[in-house]
Amino acid sequence: MAQGTLDKITQLLSEIQAGDHYALAKGITLVENELTGSKELLLQLKDTRTARVVGITGAPGAGKSTLVNALLHHWTKNKKKIAVIAVDPSSPFNYGAVLGDRIRMSDFYTNPNVYIRSIATRGALGGLSAKIIEITDVVKNAPFDIILVETVGVGQSEVEIAGLADCTVVAMVPEGGDKIQTMKAGIMEIANVFVVNKADREEAEGMYNNLRIMTHEKANEGNETPVVKTTATEQKGIEELATAIEKILHEQNKMPEKRLHLMAEKCWQLLQAERMKDIDKEQLRNTLAEAIRSPDFNIYQFTRKMGIKN
């Protein structure tokens, strides 16, 4: 890369670290779309623990965006600087985020202490963006106190978010009360805080009580997962939720096993990409088309000859 371009990336990172939201938006776009300079930007990132990552997950309709909006109101009143990464379903036509920046969060678009960015899953199987780790790392280099990552809430995203977040909040709705006994084991394992949102509904108390019983039974060494009732549209229970989150963040002093697992998987992907970078896919196809005509063709022998270990 030309020195001039490298200097621009260095300058961009400096502006991100200074809190320039325009520079942050540009940096995220570079990384999300793998544009020129994205690798150099990632290589210059610092391993910062200033900003803590809070994952908000749960089924569609659980009110995740409303919870995020309510938490923004609470934390900005307490002078916190917050970034929101909202992962949206992808448009089948242009791979952009379908929902865009959340309308409910419009109160904060001009707030200098809040940054909101919607990103698309782009077909990522787990419901999180394929570039979510890189994007979060870029945002960590900006001067935020908390980074809220809201998942789509489909597939394995509920479990994946645990590897990314310092605290994972699982939002549930009262109507799910009858299904609580068959809740995926993974959800029970990854939740640091359970939220029964829309607590003004009739079934809320039963859902809350069932969750309390379940978390008590599965408590590890007396560490019982907190369960909080909220009505996010009315800001009810939000202070209690924020307190529960902050307690988890305060107690988190080492890398959780789930995050280590996610980092190992990411390193594996990066190593694969690095070792494959000199392989031309079209050339591979042409060579394969020729080789496959042989009556004793063996794909494993072929790949070994091409220098790809299987």
Side-chain angles (χ1 to χ4, degrees):
M1 170 169 283
Q3 185 60 45
T5 304
L6 188 58
D7 290 341
K8 288 181 180 178
I9 294 300
T10 302
Q11 178 63 29
L12 178 65
L13 179 57
S14 177
E15 291 168 357
I16 291 171
Q17 292 168 336
D20 187 325
H21 286 188
Y22 175 78
L24 179 57
K26 187 175 180 180
I28 292 173
T29 298
L30 280 177
V31 169
E32 185 179 16
N33 298 288
E34 297 183 337
L35 301 177
T36 301
S38 61
K39 289 183 180 179
E40 287 69 26
L41 176 59
L42 291 173
L43 287 169
Q44 291 191 44
L45 294 180
K46 306 298 181 183
D47 183 15
T48 173
R49 294 290 295 158
T50 303
R52 310 306 298 278
V53 181
V54 177
I56 308 287
T57 189
K64 297 187 294 293
S65 294
T66 312
L67 278 170
V68 169
N69 187 58
L71 285 168
L72 284 175
H73 277 285
H74 174 81
W75 276 323
T76 52
K77 285 180 182 177
N78 289 278
K79 310 302 181 184
K80 299 286 188 183
K81 292 185 176 182
I82 313 294
V84 178
I85 304 173
V87 184
D88 285 330
S90 297
S91 163
F93 302 106
N94 61 12
Y95 290 103
V98 171
L99 302 180
D101 290 339
R102 303 304 205 275
I103 295 173
R104 291 187 186 89
M105 300 176 200
S106 59
D107 292 347
F108 299 99
Y109 290 158
T110 58
N111 190 317
N113 292 326
V114 177
Y115 177 80
I116 301 170
R117 176 67 176 247
S118 288
I119 60 174
T121 58
R122 302 193 179 192
L125 296 178
L128 284 175
S129 166
K131 292 292 182 180
I132 188 65
I133 295 175
E134 291 93 327
I135 290 170
T136 304
D137 283 340
V138 171
V139 179
K140 279 183 177 180
N141 276 255
F144 293 109
D145 299 301
I146 295 173
I147 301 170
L148 287 168
V149 179
E150 179 193 340
T151 77
V152 173
V154 295
Q156 290 297 310
S157 64
E158 301 100 329
V159 178
E160 287 180 359
I161 190 65
L164 183 71
D166 298 295
C167 175
T168 301
V169 177
V170 176
M172 308 189 75
V173 287
E175 290 76 9
D178 293 338
K179 301 176 183 177
I180 193 168
Q181 296 301 330
T182 58
M183 185 189 297
K184 287 187 293 187
I187 297 297
M188 290 301 299
E189 292 171 3
I190 65 107
N192 296 115
V193 181
F194 279 113
V195 176
V196 179
N197 195 27
K198 306 180 183 180
D200 52 339
R201 295 186 181 179
E202 186 177 343
E203 303 91 338
E205 195 63 30
M207 177 69 160
Y208 173 78
N209 290 332
N210 285 339
L211 268 174
R212 287 293 305 275
I213 292 169
M214 184 171 289
T215 54
H216 180 72
E217 290 174 347
K218 293 183 177 292
N220 180 26
E221 298 180 356
N223 297 320
E224 194 168 316
T225 305
V227 183
V228 181
K229 287 188 291 186
T230 63
T231 305
T233 53
E234 300 175 15
Q235 206 69 21
K236 292 181 179 178
I238 297 303
E239 185 172 352
E240 184 182 355
L241 172 59
T243 299
I245 292 171
E246 289 164 10
K247 183 180 179 183
I248 297 294
L249 296 179
H250 179 72
E251 293 172 349
Q252 197 71 268
N253 57 9
K254 65 179 181 178
M255 180 177 285
E257 186 64 28
K258 296 181 184 69
R259 174 173 296 180
L260 182 59
H261 174 76
L262 183 74
M263 289 292 103
E265 288 295 314
K266 189 64 184 181
C267 284
W268 179 263
Q269 293 171 15
L270 292 172
L271 284 168
Q272 283 185 316
E274 184 67 23
R275 293 185 179 187
M276 291 281 288
K277 67 181 181 181
D278 295 328
I279 296 176
D280 185 299
K281 199 169 185 179
E282 188 60 32
Q283 182 181 353
L284 174 64
R285 180 189 175 103
N286 294 336
T287 306
L288 177 61
E290 181 68 28
I292 206 168
R293 296 175 184 171
S294 172
D296 58 350
F297 172 77
N298 180 294
I299 191 171
Y300 304 102
Q301 293 180 14
F302 174 81
T303 53
R304 177 163 291 183
K305 289 176 181 177
M306 291 294 293
I308 310 171
K309 295 183 180 180
N310 52 64

